[in-house]
Amino acid sequence: MKTLGRLALSVLVALALPACKTAEKYAKNNAATAQWLNANAGVASIDVSGYWKSDDWGLSYFSQKGNRVTGHLGKYPVGGVVRGHTLYLAVTEENWTYYTVVAAQVQRGVLEGFYSDEVPFSAKDQSPITLLRTSM
């Protein structure tokens, strides 16, 4: 009976360890995201509130209060900041940042930049993104 109990305990420990590692990974991802956004926060010179369209991401909506931004890029929740004429976004799903975006206003109603699957944003692994302001 002791052997069966030890076996059951071993199985429970083996199943619980990956969950701890996952919680640690989430904590690191969230901390890296917050640090990146805080490092890029500043005084906003533009207001990105409203609807935007991207060929790759689809219809998006942002709400801006001060320099803080929330909303959706396509179907994905985002949180971010604006500094000057540049938007910095963390693209998340289920509390995990999958992409980071850096896009600058190149003309009224047009944001151009890049997104990366690195946190924080990395220029070595980036893809272009263009967002066009649209009305609903």
Side-chain angles (χ1 to χ4, degrees), residues 12-23:
L12 284 174
V13 169
L15 292 174
L17 284 177
C20 292
K21 192 170 185 179
T22 300

Side-chain angles (χ1 to χ4, degrees), residues 116-129:
S116 169
D117 64 359
E118 298 286 328
V119 179
F121 181 86
S122 172
K124 70 178 181 180
D125 179 29
Q126 62 184 12
S127 298
I129 185 170

Side-chain angles (χ1 to χ4, degrees), residues 29-131:
N29 179 272
N30 289 330
T33 300
Q35 183 178 9
W36 180 72
L37 290 175
N38 288 334
N40 286 295
V43 177
S45 299
I46 59 173
D47 186 350
V48 297
S49 294
Y51 289 94
W52 297 80
K53 183 172 67 167
S54 167
D55 288 341
D56 293 332
W57 294 85
L59 186 64
S60 301
Y61 179 80
F62 307 131
S63 176
Q64 182 177 337
K65 291 183 179 145
N67 70 343
R68 296 288 172 180
V69 177
T70 57
H72 283 81
L73 181 63
K75 66 177 185 171
Y76 300 99
V78 296
V81 296
V82 175
R83 182 178 69 206
H85 290 86
T86 304
L87 172 65
Y88 300 85
L89 290 177
V91 183
T92 63
E93 186 172 38
E94 296 181 6
N95 204 30
W96 181 268
T97 300
Y98 284 95
Y99 297 99
T100 49
V101 178
V102 177
Q105 180 179 310
V106 294
Q107 66 186 41
R108 189 175 184 90
V110 180
L111 297 171
E112 288 184 351
F114 298 92
Y115 66 94
S116 169
D117 64 359
E118 298 286 328
V119 179
F121 181 86
S122 172
K124 70 178 181 180
D125 179 29
Q126 62 184 12
S127 298
I129 185 170
T130 300
L131 292 161

